[in-house]
mmCIF file of all heavy atoms in Angstrom:
data_model
loop_
_atom_site.group_PDB
_atom_site.id
_atom_site.type_symbol
_atom_site.label_atom_id
_atom_site.label_comp_id
_atom_site.label_asym_id
_atom_site.label_seq_id
_atom_site.Cartn_x
_atom_site.Cartn_y
_atom_site.Cartn_z
ATOM 1 N N LEU A 1 15.361 66.419 12.424
ATOM 2 C CA LEU A 1 15.467 65.226 11.581
ATOM 3 C C LEU A 1 15.155 65.558 10.125
ATOM 4 O O LEU A 1 15.784 65.032 9.200
ATOM 5 C CB LEU A 1 14.515 64.148 12.097
ATOM 6 C CG LEU A 1 14.849 63.548 13.464
ATOM 7 C CD1 LEU A 1 13.771 62.551 13.875
ATOM 8 C CD2 LEU A 1 16.216 62.865 13.441
ATOM 9 N N GLU A 2 14.202 66.439 9.914
ATOM 10 C CA GLU A 2 13.865 66.851 8.549
ATOM 11 C C GLU A 2 15.028 67.600 7.908
ATOM 12 O O GLU A 2 15.383 67.354 6.747
ATOM 13 C CB GLU A 2 12.615 67.733 8.586
ATOM 14 C CG GLU A 2 12.140 68.183 7.205
ATOM 15 C CD GLU A 2 10.905 69.047 7.285
ATOM 16 O OE1 GLU A 2 10.409 69.290 8.411
ATOM 17 O OE2 GLU A 2 10.430 69.508 6.230
ATOM 18 N N ILE A 3 15.654 68.509 8.672
ATOM 19 C CA ILE A 3 16.801 69.259 8.150
ATOM 20 C C ILE A 3 17.966 68.318 7.863
ATOM 21 O O ILE A 3 18.661 68.444 6.839
ATOM 22 C CB ILE A 3 17.215 70.341 9.153
ATOM 23 C CG1 ILE A 3 16.117 71.411 9.243
ATOM 24 C CG2 ILE A 3 18.536 70.986 8.747
ATOM 25 C CD1 ILE A 3 16.358 72.441 10.337
ATOM 26 N N GLN A 4 18.175 67.332 8.748
ATOM 27 C CA GLN A 4 19.253 66.363 8.533
ATOM 28 C C GLN A 4 19.035 65.570 7.256
ATOM 29 O O GLN A 4 19.982 65.295 6.502
ATOM 30 C CB GLN A 4 19.349 65.421 9.734
ATOM 31 C CG GLN A 4 20.470 64.394 9.633
ATOM 32 C CD GLN A 4 20.518 63.479 10.825
ATOM 33 O OE1 GLN A 4 19.762 63.637 11.778
ATOM 34 N NE2 GLN A 4 21.411 62.503 10.791
ATOM 35 N N ASP A 5 17.786 65.213 6.985
ATOM 36 C CA ASP A 5 17.483 64.470 5.759
ATOM 37 C C ASP A 5 17.767 65.325 4.526
ATOM 38 O O ASP A 5 18.288 64.826 3.513
ATOM 39 C CB ASP A 5 16.022 64.033 5.795
ATOM 40 C CG ASP A 5 15.651 63.188 4.593
ATOM 41 O OD1 ASP A 5 16.107 62.031 4.520
ATOM 42 O OD2 ASP A 5 14.916 63.695 3.721
ATOM 43 N N TYR A 6 17.416 66.620 4.609
ATOM 44 C CA TYR A 6 17.721 67.515 3.494
ATOM 45 C C TYR A 6 19.229 67.610 3.262
ATOM 46 O O TYR A 6 19.702 67.573 2.113
ATOM 47 C CB TYR A 6 17.150 68.915 3.775
ATOM 48 C CG TYR A 6 15.643 68.994 3.698
ATOM 49 C CD1 TYR A 6 14.941 69.911 4.493
ATOM 50 C CD2 TYR A 6 14.917 68.184 2.828
ATOM 51 C CE1 TYR A 6 13.562 69.999 4.428
ATOM 52 C CE2 TYR A 6 13.534 68.270 2.766
ATOM 53 C CZ TYR A 6 12.870 69.167 3.566
ATOM 54 O OH TYR A 6 11.503 69.248 3.494
ATOM 55 N N GLN A 7 19.991 67.718 4.340
ATOM 56 C CA GLN A 7 21.436 67.840 4.210
ATOM 57 C C GLN A 7 22.051 66.578 3.624
ATOM 58 O O GLN A 7 22.961 66.640 2.790
ATOM 59 C CB GLN A 7 22.055 68.154 5.578
ATOM 60 C CG GLN A 7 21.699 69.537 6.110
ATOM 61 C CD GLN A 7 22.225 69.767 7.516
ATOM 62 O OE1 GLN A 7 22.605 68.822 8.210
ATOM 63 N NE2 GLN A 7 22.242 71.026 7.944
ATOM 64 N N GLU A 8 21.557 65.424 4.048
ATOM 65 C CA GLU A 8 22.079 64.169 3.505
ATOM 66 C C GLU A 8 21.720 63.995 2.034
ATOM 67 O O GLU A 8 22.381 63.244 1.311
ATOM 68 C CB GLU A 8 21.548 63.002 4.329
ATOM 69 C CG GLU A 8 22.092 62.957 5.756
ATOM 70 C CD GLU A 8 21.462 61.851 6.571
ATOM 71 O OE1 GLU A 8 20.509 61.204 6.050
ATOM 72 O OE2 GLU A 8 21.898 61.616 7.716
ATOM 73 N N SER A 9 20.662 64.686 1.614
ATOM 74 C CA SER A 9 20.268 64.626 0.201
ATOM 75 C C SER A 9 21.015 65.646 -0.649
ATOM 76 O O SER A 9 20.768 65.740 -1.854
ATOM 77 C CB SER A 9 18.757 64.855 0.073
ATOM 78 O OG SER A 9 18.038 63.872 0.799
ATOM 79 N N GLY A 10 21.906 66.425 -0.024
ATOM 80 C CA GLY A 10 22.714 67.383 -0.767
ATOM 81 C C GLY A 10 22.202 68.798 -0.748
ATOM 82 O O GLY A 10 22.772 69.669 -1.422
ATOM 83 N N ALA A 11 21.139 69.070 0.015
ATOM 84 C CA ALA A 11 20.606 70.435 0.060
ATOM 85 C C ALA A 11 21.523 71.319 0.897
ATOM 86 O O ALA A 11 22.122 70.882 1.874
ATOM 87 C CB ALA A 11 19.203 70.424 0.652
ATOM 88 N N THR A 12 21.622 72.593 0.510
ATOM 89 C CA THR A 12 22.446 73.564 1.240
ATOM 90 C C THR A 12 21.652 74.840 1.438
ATOM 91 O O THR A 12 20.703 75.133 0.690
ATOM 92 C CB THR A 12 23.735 73.883 0.469
ATOM 93 O OG1 THR A 12 23.387 74.385 -0.834
ATOM 94 C CG2 THR A 12 24.618 72.644 0.333
ATOM 95 N N LEU A 13 22.059 75.598 2.442
ATOM 96 C CA LEU A 13 21.402 76.870 2.725
ATOM 97 C C LEU A 13 21.893 77.942 1.765
ATOM 98 O O LEU A 13 23.075 78.011 1.438
ATOM 99 C CB LEU A 13 21.686 77.303 4.166
ATOM 100 C CG LEU A 13 20.962 76.527 5.275
ATOM 101 C CD1 LEU A 13 21.499 76.956 6.634
ATOM 102 C CD2 LEU A 13 19.462 76.756 5.194
ATOM 103 N N SER A 14 20.976 78.783 1.345
ATOM 104 C CA SER A 14 21.367 79.906 0.480
ATOM 105 C C SER A 14 21.969 81.050 1.295
ATOM 106 O O SER A 14 22.701 81.874 0.758
ATOM 107 C CB SER A 14 20.153 80.400 -0.316
ATOM 108 O OG SER A 14 19.125 80.824 0.577
ATOM 109 N N ARG A 15 21.649 81.105 2.593
ATOM 110 C CA ARG A 15 22.198 82.137 3.473
ATOM 111 C C ARG A 15 22.718 81.468 4.740
ATOM 112 O O ARG A 15 21.976 80.765 5.440
ATOM 113 C CB ARG A 15 21.111 83.165 3.819
ATOM 114 C CG ARG A 15 20.735 84.062 2.648
ATOM 115 C CD ARG A 15 19.473 84.853 2.932
ATOM 116 N NE ARG A 15 18.295 83.998 2.861
ATOM 117 C CZ ARG A 15 17.035 84.431 3.005
ATOM 118 N NH1 ARG A 15 16.821 85.715 3.240
ATOM 119 N NH2 ARG A 15 16.017 83.599 2.927
ATOM 120 N N ASP A 16 23.971 81.681 5.043
ATOM 121 C CA ASP A 16 24.598 81.026 6.190
ATOM 122 C C ASP A 16 24.005 81.480 7.516
ATOM 123 O O ASP A 16 24.043 80.735 8.511
ATOM 124 C CB ASP A 16 26.105 81.287 6.190
ATOM 125 C CG ASP A 16 26.807 80.606 5.014
ATOM 126 O OD1 ASP A 16 26.226 79.618 4.485
ATOM 127 O OD2 ASP A 16 27.901 81.057 4.624
ATOM 128 N N ARG A 17 23.473 82.686 7.569
ATOM 129 C CA ARG A 17 22.944 83.193 8.835
ATOM 130 C C ARG A 17 21.693 82.446 9.286
ATOM 131 O O ARG A 17 21.266 82.572 10.440
ATOM 132 C CB ARG A 17 22.639 84.688 8.716
ATOM 133 C CG ARG A 17 21.559 85.040 7.710
ATOM 134 C CD ARG A 17 21.361 86.552 7.615
ATOM 135 N NE ARG A 17 20.350 86.927 6.649
ATOM 136 C CZ ARG A 17 19.046 86.951 6.903
ATOM 137 N NH1 ARG A 17 18.614 86.612 8.098
ATOM 138 N NH2 ARG A 17 18.182 87.312 5.967
ATOM 139 N N LEU A 18 21.097 81.656 8.395
ATOM 140 C CA LEU A 18 19.917 80.883 8.765
ATOM 141 C C LEU A 18 20.264 79.536 9.396
ATOM 142 O O LEU A 18 19.374 78.831 9.861
ATOM 143 C CB LEU A 18 19.040 80.637 7.524
ATOM 144 C CG LEU A 18 18.459 81.882 6.850
ATOM 145 C CD1 LEU A 18 17.658 81.480 5.613
ATOM 146 C CD2 LEU A 18 17.586 82.670 7.819
ATOM 147 N N LYS A 19 21.537 79.214 9.445
ATOM 148 C CA LYS A 19 21.937 77.921 9.984
ATOM 149 C C LYS A 19 21.732 77.877 11.499
ATOM 150 O O LYS A 19 22.037 78.828 12.210
ATOM 151 C CB LYS A 19 23.401 77.655 9.656
ATOM 152 C CG LYS A 19 23.871 76.266 10.074
ATOM 153 C CD LYS A 19 25.316 76.031 9.666
ATOM 154 C CE LYS A 19 25.778 74.640 10.074
ATOM 155 N NZ LYS A 19 27.177 74.377 9.689
ATOM 156 N N THR A 20 21.203 76.772 11.995
ATOM 157 C CA THR A 20 20.966 76.577 13.425
ATOM 158 C C THR A 20 21.578 75.257 13.866
ATOM 159 O O THR A 20 21.785 74.344 13.051
ATOM 160 C CB THR A 20 19.465 76.552 13.745
ATOM 161 O OG1 THR A 20 18.844 75.514 12.973
ATOM 162 C CG2 THR A 20 18.812 77.897 13.415
ATOM 163 N N GLU A 21 21.854 75.174 15.148
ATOM 164 C CA GLU A 21 22.369 73.942 15.729
ATOM 165 C C GLU A 21 21.206 73.029 16.109
ATOM 166 O O GLU A 21 20.097 73.500 16.401
ATOM 167 C CB GLU A 21 23.213 74.254 16.962
ATOM 168 C CG GLU A 21 24.453 75.077 16.669
ATOM 169 C CD GLU A 21 25.436 74.335 15.765
ATOM 170 O OE1 GLU A 21 25.468 73.086 15.841
ATOM 171 O OE2 GLU A 21 26.145 74.999 14.992
ATOM 172 N N PRO A 22 21.430 71.722 16.124
ATOM 173 C CA PRO A 22 20.364 70.811 16.568
ATOM 174 C C PRO A 22 19.897 71.145 17.981
ATOM 175 O O PRO A 22 20.689 71.540 18.837
ATOM 176 C CB PRO A 22 21.032 69.430 16.505
ATOM 177 C CG PRO A 22 22.133 69.587 15.502
ATOM 178 C CD PRO A 22 22.618 70.998 15.646
ATOM 179 N N PHE A 23 18.620 70.992 18.201
ATOM 180 C CA PHE A 23 18.020 71.376 19.485
ATOM 181 C C PHE A 23 18.357 70.351 20.555
ATOM 182 O O PHE A 23 18.094 69.153 20.395
ATOM 183 C CB PHE A 23 16.500 71.493 19.334
ATOM 184 C CG PHE A 23 15.789 71.823 20.612
ATOM 185 C CD1 PHE A 23 15.889 73.081 21.174
ATOM 186 C CD2 PHE A 23 15.009 70.866 21.252
ATOM 187 C CE1 PHE A 23 15.236 73.396 22.348
ATOM 188 C CE2 PHE A 23 14.351 71.174 22.429
ATOM 189 C CZ PHE A 23 14.464 72.437 22.978
ATOM 190 N N GLU A 24 18.920 70.824 21.658
ATOM 191 C CA GLU A 24 19.217 69.992 22.816
ATOM 192 C C GLU A 24 18.347 70.480 23.970
ATOM 193 O O GLU A 24 18.560 71.566 24.504
ATOM 194 C CB GLU A 24 20.696 70.078 23.187
ATOM 195 C CG GLU A 24 21.636 69.493 22.148
ATOM 196 C CD GLU A 24 21.525 67.970 22.067
ATOM 197 O OE1 GLU A 24 21.000 67.381 23.038
ATOM 198 O OE2 GLU A 24 21.945 67.404 21.041
ATOM 199 N N GLU A 25 17.384 69.680 24.339
ATOM 200 C CA GLU A 25 16.399 70.117 25.328
ATOM 201 C C GLU A 25 17.030 70.404 26.689
ATOM 202 O O GLU A 25 16.721 71.417 27.328
ATOM 203 C CB GLU A 25 15.298 69.056 25.472
ATOM 204 C CG GLU A 25 14.180 69.482 26.400
ATOM 205 C CD GLU A 25 13.046 68.461 26.425
ATOM 206 O OE1 GLU A 25 13.136 67.453 25.718
ATOM 207 O OE2 GLU A 25 12.074 68.708 27.172
ATOM 208 N N ASN A 26 17.904 69.518 27.169
ATOM 209 C CA ASN A 26 18.511 69.717 28.486
ATOM 210 C C ASN A 26 19.356 70.991 28.532
ATOM 211 O O ASN A 26 19.295 71.765 29.498
ATOM 212 C CB ASN A 26 19.364 68.508 28.861
ATOM 213 C CG ASN A 26 18.522 67.266 29.103
ATOM 214 O OD1 ASN A 26 17.354 67.362 29.495
ATOM 215 N ND2 ASN A 26 19.096 66.096 28.866
ATOM 216 N N SER A 27 20.125 71.221 27.486
ATOM 217 C CA SER A 27 20.935 72.440 27.447
ATOM 218 C C SER A 27 20.058 73.682 27.406
ATOM 219 O O SER A 27 20.347 74.701 28.055
ATOM 220 C CB SER A 27 21.866 72.417 26.235
ATOM 221 O OG SER A 27 22.732 71.298 26.287
ATOM 222 N N PHE A 28 18.970 73.601 26.644
ATOM 223 C CA PHE A 28 18.051 74.741 26.558
ATOM 224 C C PHE A 28 17.432 75.054 27.915
ATOM 225 O O PHE A 28 17.341 76.223 28.319
ATOM 226 C CB PHE A 28 16.957 74.446 25.531
ATOM 227 C CG PHE A 28 15.849 75.441 25.528
ATOM 228 C CD1 PHE A 28 15.994 76.669 24.901
ATOM 229 C CD2 PHE A 28 14.644 75.166 26.177
ATOM 230 C CE1 PHE A 28 14.962 77.600 24.911
ATOM 231 C CE2 PHE A 28 13.620 76.091 26.188
ATOM 232 C CZ PHE A 28 13.778 77.307 25.553
ATOM 233 N N LEU A 29 17.010 74.011 28.652
ATOM 234 C CA LEU A 29 16.376 74.230 29.947
ATOM 235 C C LEU A 29 17.363 74.806 30.953
ATOM 236 O O LEU A 29 17.016 75.702 31.738
ATOM 237 C CB LEU A 29 15.781 72.914 30.464
ATOM 238 C CG LEU A 29 14.586 72.367 29.680
ATOM 239 C CD1 LEU A 29 14.144 71.030 30.238
ATOM 240 C CD2 LEU A 29 13.426 73.357 29.691
ATOM 241 N N LYS A 30 18.594 74.317 30.933
ATOM 242 C CA LYS A 30 19.589 74.846 31.858
ATOM 243 C C LYS A 30 19.887 76.312 31.557
ATOM 244 O O LYS A 30 19.986 77.142 32.470
ATOM 245 C CB LYS A 30 20.868 74.019 31.761
ATOM 246 C CG LYS A 30 20.734 72.614 32.328
ATOM 247 C CD LYS A 30 22.049 71.843 32.188
ATOM 248 C CE LYS A 30 21.915 70.433 32.749
ATOM 249 N NZ LYS A 30 23.173 69.656 32.603
ATOM 250 N N GLN A 31 20.021 76.642 30.293
ATOM 251 C CA GLN A 31 20.286 78.026 29.920
ATOM 252 C C GLN A 31 19.105 78.927 30.282
ATOM 253 O O GLN A 31 19.286 80.074 30.724
ATOM 254 C CB GLN A 31 20.579 78.108 28.427
ATOM 255 C CG GLN A 31 20.967 79.506 27.946
ATOM 256 C CD GLN A 31 21.270 79.527 26.451
ATOM 257 O OE1 GLN A 31 21.110 78.515 25.769
ATOM 258 N NE2 GLN A 31 21.702 80.672 25.965
ATOM 259 N N PHE A 32 17.889 78.413 30.103
ATOM 260 C CA PHE A 32 16.710 79.198 30.448
ATOM 261 C C PHE A 32 16.668 79.487 31.948
ATOM 262 O O PHE A 32 16.342 80.604 32.366
ATOM 263 C CB PHE A 32 15.451 78.454 30.019
ATOM 264 C CG PHE A 32 14.171 79.152 30.394
ATOM 265 C CD1 PHE A 32 13.668 80.163 29.592
ATOM 266 C CD2 PHE A 32 13.485 78.803 31.548
ATOM 267 C CE1 PHE A 32 12.489 80.823 29.943
ATOM 268 C CE2 PHE A 32 12.320 79.454 31.901
ATOM 269 C CZ PHE A 32 11.815 80.459 31.095
ATOM 270 N N MET A 33 16.970 78.486 32.759
ATOM 271 C CA MET A 33 16.956 78.678 34.213
ATOM 272 C C MET A 33 17.946 79.753 34.649
ATOM 273 O O MET A 33 17.688 80.522 35.577
ATOM 274 C CB MET A 33 17.275 77.351 34.919
ATOM 275 C CG MET A 33 16.204 76.292 34.766
ATOM 276 S SD MET A 33 14.668 76.762 35.592
ATOM 277 C CE MET A 33 13.694 75.283 35.322
ATOM 278 N N VAL A 34 19.072 79.835 33.986
ATOM 279 C CA VAL A 34 20.111 80.774 34.393
ATOM 280 C C VAL A 34 19.864 82.163 33.831
ATOM 281 O O VAL A 34 19.967 83.170 34.544
ATOM 282 C CB VAL A 34 21.494 80.256 33.955
ATOM 283 C CG1 VAL A 34 22.573 81.292 34.255
ATOM 284 C CG2 VAL A 34 21.811 78.939 34.652
ATOM 285 N N GLU A 35 19.486 82.261 32.552
ATOM 286 C CA GLU A 35 19.429 83.547 31.881
ATOM 287 C C GLU A 35 18.031 84.163 31.831
ATOM 288 O O GLU A 35 17.887 85.385 31.972
ATOM 289 C CB GLU A 35 19.968 83.407 30.455
ATOM 290 C CG GLU A 35 21.428 82.944 30.391
ATOM 291 C CD GLU A 35 21.908 82.790 28.962
ATOM 292 O OE1 GLU A 35 21.101 83.070 28.039
ATOM 293 O OE2 GLU A 35 23.075 82.394 28.765
ATOM 294 N N LYS A 36 17.001 83.359 31.637
ATOM 295 C CA LYS A 36 15.664 83.896 31.376
ATOM 296 C C LYS A 36 14.719 83.828 32.572
ATOM 297 O O LYS A 36 13.767 84.613 32.647
ATOM 298 C CB LYS A 36 15.021 83.144 30.204
ATOM 299 C CG LYS A 36 15.817 83.202 28.910
ATOM 300 C CD LYS A 36 15.879 84.617 28.368
ATOM 301 C CE LYS A 36 16.603 84.652 27.019
ATOM 302 N NZ LYS A 36 16.666 86.028 26.460
ATOM 303 N N LEU A 37 14.966 82.906 33.478
ATOM 304 C CA LEU A 37 14.002 82.695 34.560
ATOM 305 C C LEU A 37 13.788 83.929 35.434
ATOM 306 O O LEU A 37 12.642 84.262 35.747
ATOM 307 C CB LEU A 37 14.429 81.504 35.425
ATOM 308 C CG LEU A 37 13.457 81.112 36.542
ATOM 309 C CD1 LEU A 37 12.132 80.673 35.955
ATOM 310 C CD2 LEU A 37 14.056 80.019 37.416
ATOM 311 N N PRO A 38 14.831 84.638 35.874
ATOM 312 C CA PRO A 38 14.580 85.808 36.734
ATOM 313 C C PRO A 38 13.640 86.829 36.111
ATOM 314 O O PRO A 38 12.771 87.379 36.794
ATOM 315 C CB PRO A 38 15.993 86.381 36.933
ATOM 316 C CG PRO A 38 16.906 85.216 36.754
ATOM 317 C CD PRO A 38 16.272 84.390 35.685
ATOM 318 N N GLU A 39 13.790 87.073 34.829
ATOM 319 C CA GLU A 39 12.915 88.036 34.178
ATOM 320 C C GLU A 39 11.541 87.450 33.899
ATOM 321 O O GLU A 39 10.515 88.137 34.021
ATOM 322 C CB GLU A 39 13.545 88.504 32.864
ATOM 323 C CG GLU A 39 12.711 89.505 32.092
ATOM 324 C CD GLU A 39 13.351 89.888 30.773
ATOM 325 O OE1 GLU A 39 14.476 89.416 30.495
ATOM 326 O OE2 GLU A 39 12.737 90.664 30.019
#
């Protein structure tokens, strides 16, 4: 929400590689169960 407020105010990233997608808890948990849980 803080990043969204910055973007709506016209702020931009100086480096594109720092850009992240909004966090989706359900998607994260499903991916963790499949990829990270065995290890």
Side-chain angles (χ1 to χ4, degrees):
L1 293 177
E2 182 180 359
I3 292 173
Q4 182 181 356
D5 183 71
Y6 289 149
Q7 292 175 345
E8 292 176 353
S9 301
T12 58
L13 287 172
S14 59
R15 289 168 286 183
D16 293 337
R17 64 182 179 84
L18 297 178
K19 185 177 180 180
T20 57
E21 297 296 330
F23 177 72
E24 294 290 341
E25 184 175 359
N26 292 332
S27 300
F28 170 79
L29 292 177
K30 290 180 180 179
Q31 184 179 4
F32 177 83
M33 292 294 184
V34 175
E35 299 179 1
K36 302 294 184 179
L37 184 63
E39 179 183 357

